[in-house]
Amino acid sequence: MESEFSSSGSKRDRDGNSKDGPLGEQPDDELTIPRAAMNKMIKELLPNIRVANEARELVLNCCSEFIHLISSESNDICNNQQKKTISAEHVLLALDKLGYGDFRKDAEEVLTEC
C-alpha cells in the first residue's frame, strides 16, 4: 500500500512526507466516494443496524481501493489492446483477471440496465 498513517494520524507517503493538505484536507489526487452517498447506501442496505463511524470509514476506504484497483486493471487491459477509451468489456475482463469473476454476472446485469 502506498501510504501509511503516522502515529499522529496524518497520512504519509513512503518517504514519510505528510500527504495532508492545508488544515488536514486530503490531496486532490486522493479521491474517495462522498461520505453522504456512502452513508445513504449503508442506511438503505442496513436500515435496522447501527454502524460505527470507524466501520463506515473502513467501508469507504475499501470501496475506494476496490474502484482504484478495477480502474487501474481496466486501464492496463485497454492499453494492451491499444485502445484509448476504457469500455465495459475492459472492466469485466479486469474483474475476471483480478479474481472477482463471481461479480461478473451482477455487473453484466447492471450494464444491461444502463
Side-chain angles (χ1 to χ4, degrees), residues 42-70:
I42 290 171
K43 188 174 183 178
E44 288 175 2
L45 293 170
L46 306 169
N48 299 320
I49 298 175
R50 292 182 63 192
V51 180
N53 287 337
E54 285 179 344
R56 289 175 189 269
E57 189 69 24
L58 180 59
V59 169
L60 182 70
N61 289 334
C62 289
C63 289
S64 296
E65 186 63 29
F66 179 76
I67 291 168
H68 181 262
L69 181 68
I70 296 298

Side-chain angles (χ1 to χ4, degrees), residues 74-75 77-79 81-90:
S74 299
N75 187 50
I77 292 168
C78 179
N79 287 335
Q81 293 180 358
Q82 298 179 342
K83 303 288 183 180
K84 295 187 181 217
T85 303
I86 296 173
S87 70
E89 187 58 32
H90 296 137

Side-chain angles (χ1 to χ4, degrees), residues 33-42:
I33 299 168
R35 281 180 173 69
M38 180 59 64
N39 288 337
K40 183 178 178 186
M41 283 190 272
I42 290 171

